[in-house]
Amino acid sequence: MNAPIPPDETNRLAALRRYDVLDTAPEEAFDDLMQLAAHICEMPMALISLVDSDRQWFKSRLGVSAGETPRNIAFCAHTILHRDEIFEVRDARNDPRFADSPLVTGDPRICAYAGAPLVTSDGHALGALCVMDHSPRRLSEAQAAALRTLGRQVVAQLELRRRTGELQRKVAQLEASEREAERSRRALLGILEDEKLTGQNLRESEERFRQLADSIDEVFWLTDPVKSLMLYISPAYERIWGRTCASLHESPMNWAQAIHPEDRERVLSAMARQQHGGYDETYRIIRPDLAERWIHDRAFPVRNAAGEVFRIAGVAKDITEKKQLEAQFFRAQRLESIGTLASGIAHDLNNILAPIMMSAPLIRMGGADASTERMLATIESSAERGARLVQQLLTFGRGLEGKRLPIPLQPLIREMRTIVQQTFPKNITIDLRLAPQLGLVVGDATQLHQILLNLCVNARDAMPDGGQLTIAAANVAFDANQAGMIPGAKPGAYVRLSVIDTGTGMTPQIIDKIFEPFFTTKAPGKGTGLGLATTMGLVKSHGGFLTLTSEVGKGTTFHVHLPVAPEGAAQEAPAASAAVPSGHGELILLVEDEANIRDAMGEALLKHGYKVLTAGDGIEALAVYPAHANEVRLVISDLDMPNMNGANLLRVLKKMQPALPLMVSTGLAAKADGSRADELRELRPFAVLAKPYSLDQLLRTVHAALAGESA
C-alpha cells in the first residue's frame, strides 16, 4: 500500500509549508470546488487532500468523516506521483495496492477513486482533488478533463490564499513599525520636554534629539514657530523627498513644493493646527525623479515652563509600501468576489439569451426571404457572441476552462489585426508575419484570443508616441537540451506566437517582476497589474510557456509557445446538417419560471411534433401533473424557481413515477452550490442543459431522453 516517496519530497514539503494551510478551518471557496467536482463526476465522496510527511490532511471533505488519515494508506499519496494525469482506481477491492487498506475494508469503504494532482507553478504536487464511490466506477473523458481543471482552480485558490496572507502579514509588520516609530517619537518629545529647556540644558536636549533622530528611518523635524526657522531635519528627508536638507534650512517651506497639486491646499491649510496638536495629515509628494510617494506627517507642539509653544516637533513617515499593500489586498479581495458576481450576471444573461437562440430558428421555419434571413443570421450570430461573452466572463471570474479543440491560429490573428486597426491609435501600424502551414494547437478560442489581446494592448501602451506592432507565428521545435534551458518548456513541436513592439522597452528589474499579479508600471488607475499575470496563467493552462526579450528604448518581444495538436487531430468540423429529430405526439411537462424561455421552448417543441404541458414553478407543476401522469413522457425543469425549486420538484416526481425521464435546464452551469450538487447527484437527471442552448441542442437531447439513449 505504501506509495513511493517523490524524488522532490524535501522541496515538495517545503512548498506545502509555504502555503500555511495545514490544520486550518474549512473555507467556502475550497468547499465549492470540491462539491462541484463531486457533482460533475457523479460520486458521493470527495476530498481536497494535502499530503504531509506522515499523513494526508483534508482541507475539504464530502462523505468522509475523518479529518486526516495516515499517509501510508492514502490513495492521494499515489496521486502526487502522477503530476500530469488523473490517477484512477476503478475497483480498489481487486487492486493489490489497496485491497487490504482500512479505507477500503472499513469506513468510508472506498471502491472507485479518481484524483487530480494539485501541482504548483514550480512543479511540486501538494496533494489531490479526488472523488470516490462505493461501487466500481471510471470517469468519462469529459469528467476527467473537468476534474483536472478544478484541480488547477484549487491550486489557484491556494495561491490566492497565500498571497492574501502575505499581504496581511506585511501590513501587520508595517503597523508594528509604526508603533515602534510612535515610541521613538515619544522618547524624542521626552528629551525635548525634560528639565526647563533653557540655555545649556536646551542645547544638550536638542543634541540628544539629533542623535536619536539621525538613526531612525522616518523624517524627524524641529522648527521654531516664532522665528519660522527649520532648526533640524533628519537625513531621511533626502532619501524620501529626494531633496537636500540644506535646501530646507535655506527655505523652510521648500518641502511643500513637492506636495502633489491635488493635496497641497489641504496640507497647507492644516499647518495652522500644528501649534494646537491637531496636525495629522496623509498626502502624496512628487520627487525630482517624478516618483510618487505617500507620506504620513504629524506635528506636536513643545511648550516651555511658561506654557508657551516654543518648538514644533514632527515626524513624517514614508507609507508608500503600506498604501501599495493595502491596494493589492483590496484588489485580491475584489478579484475573489468577481467569481460570485460573474455567476450572478451570467445567470441573468443566459436567461435573456436562451429564448433568442431558440426563437430565431422558429421564425425561419415559417419561411423567410433573403432580407429576413440576413436579419435572422445577425440575431443568431449576436446571441452566440453574447453566449461566448458570458463564458469569457465566467472564465475570468472563476478561472473555468473552456472547450479545448484543435484550432488554427491564422483566423484568430487576422481578427486581432482588424481589432487593432479599428481601435488602436492611427500612429501605430500593424504587420503580420505568418509562416505557411502553421500547426494546429489544442485550446479554447476565447482564451487564446484573450492572450493575444492582452499582449497587443501591452504593446500599445508601450508606444505612447506610436510605432510598429508586429504579430508573427511560426512552427518551431525543441529537443531535450533546448527545452532544458527554458523554464516551463518540454521537448516537442510548438507554434510560436510573437507580439513585437518598437516601444519604450523594459529594464531587467522590471522584467523580473512583470508577471507578478498586481505589478504594473502604469499610472494609478491606468492598469490593474493583472493582464500579463492572467496571460501567463492562460498560456500555462494550455501546456505552453512564454518568454520575452526587451531593450530600453528599442522595444519588447513576447513569444508564446503553444504545443502543436497531436498527430491526427483535426479542427472541429461544422455540425452535419442531419435532420433535426421530431416528436410523434409525446407529451412533455415543461417547468420554467421565465415566461420568455417557457414560451420559446414550448413553441419549439410544439412545432417539432411534441405536445407540451407548461408550468411556471414546482407547485404549479405538481398541480397539473396528476391529471396527465399516464401521458407525460418527459419532464424538463429549470432549477431556480420561486415557491418550489426544480430539484425538489424532480424529487417528488421521481417518487411518483421512478421511471419517468427527467431533464434539468439551468443558467448557473458554471457553479453549483453544495446542496444542489448533492440533490442532482441523488436525482441523476438524464441531462443537464446549460443555458443558453440552441434549438438543435434542445431537440436532440429531448429525442435522446425519450429514446432512452445515453446522455
Side-chain angles (χ1 to χ4, degrees), residues 312-338:
I312 301 292
V315 56
K317 180 180 177 62
D318 184 345
I319 59 169
T320 304
E321 183 180 3
K322 180 182 178 182
K323 282 287 187 179
Q324 291 171 342
L325 288 171
E326 288 174 348
Q328 291 182 16
F329 180 64
F330 292 140
R331 285 175 183 169
Q333 288 183 318
R334 188 164 64 247
L335 183 63
E336 190 173 6
S337 68
I338 283 176

Side-chain angles (χ1 to χ4, degrees), residues 583 585-591 601-602 604-606 608-615 625 628 631-637 660-661 663 698-699 701-703 705-706:
E586 298 94 333
L587 181 61
I588 297 173
L589 174 57
L590 173 59
V591 191
M601 289 179 68
L605 293 169
L606 285 170
H608 286 82
Y610 299 100
K611 297 177 182 177
V612 181
L613 189 63
T614 61
Y625 175 75
H628 304 274
E631 305 169 62
V632 173
R633 293 292 176 263
L634 174 67
V635 176
I636 305 174
S637 176
L660 182 64
M663 282 174 51
L698 171 65
L699 295 174
T701 307
V702 167
H703 177 77
L706 292 171

Side-chain angles (χ1 to χ4, degrees), residues 24 38 43 48 87 134 156 167 257 309 316 323 336 356 405 450 459 531 579 589 591 653 668 677 682 701 705:
T24 58
M43 294 203 189
I48 294 178
F87 176 69
H134 303 297
L167 290 173
Q257 296 176 10
V309 175
K323 282 287 187 179
E336 190 173 6
I356 298 174
L405 297 168
Q450 185 178 352
L589 174 57
V591 191
L653 291 176
L668 289 171
E682 168 197 346
T701 307

Side-chain angles (χ1 to χ4, degrees), residues 678-699:
D678 291 340
E679 288 169 335
L680 290 179
R681 219 173 10 255
E682 168 197 346
L683 294 168
R684 293 182 180 272
F686 174 83
V688 178
L689 281 174
K691 299 174 186 173
Y693 41 82
S694 66
L695 176 60
D696 184 83
Q697 286 176 286
L698 171 65
L699 295 174

Side-chain angles (χ1 to χ4, degrees), residues 279-358:
Y279 180 81
D280 188 332
E281 294 294 321
T282 297
Y283 54 87
R284 293 162 292 172
I285 63 169
I286 301 176
R287 291 165 44 94
D289 61 5
L290 302 183
E292 186 176 285
R293 312 295 293 177
W294 279 93
I295 305 297
H296 182 205
D297 194 7
R298 291 172 291 169
F300 312 92
V302 181
R303 302 178 186 276
N304 59 20
E308 300 168 334
V309 175
F310 77 107
R311 296 285 187 270
I312 301 292
V315 56
K317 180 180 177 62
D318 184 345
I319 59 169
T320 304
E321 183 180 3
K322 180 182 178 182
K323 282 287 187 179
Q324 291 171 342
L325 288 171
E326 288 174 348
Q328 291 182 16
F329 180 64
F330 292 140
R331 285 175 183 169
Q333 288 183 318
R334 188 164 64 247
L335 183 63
E336 190 173 6
S337 68
I338 283 176
T340 302
L341 176 64
S343 290
I345 294 173
H347 176 262
D348 293 339
L349 288 177
N350 284 335
N351 280 338
I352 293 170
L353 292 169
I356 298 174
M357 292 181 67
M358 282 185 287

Side-chain angles (χ1 to χ4, degrees), residues 220-449:
F220 282 92
W221 50 270
L222 186 65
T223 65
D224 183 332
V226 177
K227 299 179 180 179
S228 299
L229 294 176
M230 178 65 67
L231 300 177
Y232 174 78
I233 183 75
S234 69
Y237 176 77
E238 296 188 352
R239 176 178 56 81
I240 296 175
W241 256 259
R243 299 165 183 248
T244 66
C245 293
S247 67
L248 202 54
H249 285 294
E250 294 170 3
S251 176
M253 290 302 295
N254 182 273
W255 67 275
Q257 296 176 10
I259 299 176
H260 194 289
E262 294 178 5
D263 301 337
R264 187 177 298 144
E265 183 178 352
R266 169 176 56 83
V267 176
L268 294 179
S269 298
M271 287 183 63
R273 299 196 299 268
Q274 288 185 354
Q275 296 196 38
H276 307 291
Y279 180 81
D280 188 332
E281 294 294 321
T282 297
Y283 54 87
R284 293 162 292 172
I285 63 169
I286 301 176
R287 291 165 44 94
D289 61 5
L290 302 183
E292 186 176 285
R293 312 295 293 177
W294 279 93
I295 305 297
H296 182 205
D297 194 7
R298 291 172 291 169
F300 312 92
V302 181
R303 302 178 186 276
N304 59 20
E308 300 168 334
V309 175
F310 77 107
R311 296 285 187 270
I312 301 292
V315 56
K317 180 180 177 62
D318 184 345
I319 59 169
T320 304
E321 183 180 3
K322 180 182 178 182
K323 282 287 187 179
Q324 291 171 342
L325 288 171
E326 288 174 348
Q328 291 182 16
F329 180 64
F330 292 140
R331 285 175 183 169
Q333 288 183 318
R334 188 164 64 247
L335 183 63
E336 190 173 6
S337 68
I338 283 176
T340 302
L341 176 64
S343 290
I345 294 173
H347 176 262
D348 293 339
L349 288 177
N350 284 335
N351 280 338
I352 293 170
L353 292 169
I356 298 174
M357 292 181 67
M358 282 185 287
S359 297
L362 294 178
I363 297 173
R364 184 179 287 113
M365 289 176 63
D369 56 26
S371 176
T372 303
E373 177 60 37
R374 284 194 299 272
M375 293 178 63
L376 290 173
T378 300
I379 291 171
E380 288 178 313
S381 174
S382 298
E384 290 169 0
R385 184 179 179 187
R388 289 194 298 270
L389 182 62
V390 170
Q391 185 59 38
Q392 187 173 7
L393 179 66
L394 290 170
T395 298
F396 179 77
R398 290 289 181 193
L400 297 176
E401 184 179 271
K403 189 175 182 180
R404 299 289 173 90
L405 297 168
I407 295 173
L409 289 179
Q410 297 95 321
L412 186 147
I413 295 172
R414 292 191 177 98
E415 180 184 355
M416 185 56 58
R417 175 176 60 183
T418 301
I419 292 174
V420 169
Q421 290 172 335
Q422 292 176 349
T423 62
F424 281 22
K426 299 304 180 184
N427 59 2
I428 294 178
T429 60
I430 182 168
D431 181 32
L432 295 191
R433 300 177 186 173
L434 306 183
Q437 298 181 336
L438 283 177
L440 300 176
V441 299
V442 176
D444 173 70
T446 299
Q447 293 181 358
L448 293 176
H449 184 276

